Amino acid sequence: MMFSSASRTLVLALLTLGASASRGGTPTVSYNVSAAETYLPNKDYSNEQLALLWYQVGPVATHPVVTATVEPTPEPSWAGPGEFHPFVASNYPEELAVAKLPPGFNWGMTSSAYQLEGAAKDEGRGPSIWDLLSHRNPNQVADNSTGDVLAQHYYLYKQDFQRLAKYGSPYYSTSISWPRIFPFGKGPINEAGIKHYDDVIAELVKHGIKPALSLFHWDTPLALFNEYGGWTNPKIVDDYLNYAKFVIARYDKHVPVWFTFNEPQYCNWQYSYYPAGILYPSYGIGPGINARFICGHYTLLAHAKLAKWYHNEFKGKGRISFKNSGNYYQPVTNSTGDLEAAKRATDFSIGWFGGPWTDGDYPQSLKDTLGEILPTLSKAEKALIKGSCDFYALDGYTAFYVSELPGGANACARNRSDPNYPECGSSSQVAPNGFSIGPAADAGASWLKSTPTGIRKFLSAITKEIFPAVKDIVVSEFGFAEPFESEYASVPDAIWDLRRTDYIQGFLDNILLAITEDHVNVTGAYIWSIMDNFEWGSGIKTRFGMQYVSYDTLTRTPKASWFQARNWFKRHGGEFLPGAE
Ligand code: PNW
């Protein structure tokens, strides 16, 4: 096969498997050393090792037709809707009548590797923990979907980028799949995976689309989880650096924006609740609050090490940061308790990873509340973290009201069995007047309400109060899951996504108001997502795409929001590619 160097370990080749291959069955793996074959020093064992990893996942589906890279066909001429129903109007016609975006404003669509590529087992890719979780963990994914096939972007990227070029957005933000390049997370390199990404980057460059690339979007190589528990073990830092440096060295010439990590806050749920019987590290700690903060710790260190290497040693050409999952927390009243609760909520979400903008350390409230649960940062580590981001990247989707707990935060912070520990505040998306804080998204994204004025407040709060050191902020993701979109029997009905269209208009308007009225230096905005994809625990039924994906025919159809966004960027002086329609 396509591994460039042989792995010398025989350990996994010695496994005798007695695994139940059906979805939901608990795999049992017995180690039968007596059945070992003689170790042959010149034999490449990586294919056996890879087969064993995939055996742990179980049978992987493939698309019946699209199994190789497809050349693009001519684009249909798409005209947006609007003859009998207008687009969504701006709520700020006077303030924004002549408002223009600053020159060079970065904008475009987004996606991530596992959520869009499909072709899960093809061309030498190793499994990530998400292959295992989606296949093996009952109730992990609400609609039982997996990332096996999806929109087959792995083979249809040429068509997808041709469409983006016609759309004219100058940037495209996506991620590289670590286990496509290093199927075991480290060790042998998969040449086919590299060739694929070489082609992907070349295709973007051909169209003049600038890639903003995330090196990690939650798809930890399964082999590293098996070996040492993924992000709960310090070994992950070097393995990540080895992979990330390889990718940067190869593509930096063409990549003006690097994200070391997508939302390190994912440690909250990925390492709190992972099913210990299914993800079963042979080394490492089990799920829970310790794992959560250890995961965050090694993620922050890995980010800082890579970013410092990027500028100081590698002398990279681009800018580097990580994407933060952050929502605006509004205190319900101006009482001290509510104000403190909102501050705590912010500390525990974006403050946790705010070191690059402060003294490099964790917020005091985390240290006081978590005690020995929170790893300590040495002086040298703090120095490494401080200043390790070139700009602030905010994935800011929604907003919450926050109030003080009835017993106060302090009692909770001292009591680890309090159900609200460690955040020790109460957050809600129901306003005091009984309405939800904004119109709700699909039930599969129950955390998401449309709150456009929240993003404006948040952009000011981050740059003026929370991290005044931030001089440049990018909204690296925002987007909406139209309620019930998968319920429509007809695509023409589904693509009139009025609530998403309203969300996009409102967010863009408020991002521009933050620039023109509040003087916040917002330098980019990226919409999640280029097309419908795998929404983690909600699967494919919850759709975030600006294009509708018909999973039977693999057709992508632009929705009304796609046109609304393009009209908005045209009206407000957004830059378009020369070939744009
Ligand atoms: C982001 N929240 O995740 C991720 O980067 C994407 O992979 C994901 O598909 C997208 O948003 C939509 O969910 C988030 O609870 C998940 O506030 C949850 C939250 C925010 C972002």
Side-chain angles (χ1 to χ4, degrees), residues 106-154:
N106 296 188
W107 71 277
M109 301 289 168
T110 54
S111 68
S112 89
Y114 186 71
Q115 293 179 272
L116 192 61
E117 285 181 349
K121 204 177 158 181
D122 293 0
E123 300 197 337
R125 178 178 174 274
S128 80
I129 61 168
W130 270 92
D131 294 282
L132 187 73
L133 289 171
S134 64
H135 276 261
R136 291 287 193 178
N137 188 20
N139 308 323
Q140 175 79 48
V141 182
D143 61 4
N144 285 341
S145 56
T146 71
D148 292 1
V149 177
L150 300 174
Q152 287 288 85
H153 173 70
Y154 185 82

Side-chain angles (χ1 to χ4, degrees), residues 114 174 242 355 392 404 484 519:
Y114 186 71
T174 189
N242 177 54
Y392 196 89
E404 186 184 17
F484 308 113
H519 311 293

Side-chain angles (χ1 to χ4, degrees), residues 115 217-218 262-263 325 327 397 447 477 528 535-536 544:
Q115 293 179 272
H217 199 122
W218 309 349
N262 182 72
E263 302 183 357
S325 175
N327 294 310
Y397 281 81
W447 52 275
E477 275 183 34
W528 184 273
E535 180 53 16
W536 307 113
F544 269 89

Side-chain angles (χ1 to χ4, degrees), residues 49-84:
Q49 291 180 358
L50 192 60
L52 283 163
L53 278 176
W54 279 114
Y55 192 77
Q56 193 182 339
V57 170
V60 171
T62 52
H63 192 268
V65 181
V66 178
T67 54
T69 302
V70 175
E71 289 305 315
T73 52
E75 274 290 293
S77 63
W78 15 266
E83 189 186 355
F84 285 90

Side-chain angles (χ1 to χ4, degrees), residues 136-191:
R136 291 287 193 178
N137 188 20
N139 308 323
Q140 175 79 48
V141 182
D143 61 4
N144 285 341
S145 56
T146 71
D148 292 1
V149 177
L150 300 174
Q152 287 288 85
H153 173 70
Y154 185 82
Y155 293 127
L156 295 172
Y157 60 93
K158 292 190 181 186
Q159 189 83 49
D160 291 336
F161 296 159
Q162 179 176 290
R163 177 157 299 178
L164 275 190
K166 182 173 171 184
Y167 191 67
S169 46
Y171 284 80
Y172 174 55
S173 170
T174 189
S175 75
I176 301 269
S177 159
W178 179 353
R180 274 202 198 279
I181 296 190
F182 290 91
F184 308 104
K186 59 181 173 180
I189 283 175
N190 175 23
E191 299 287 355

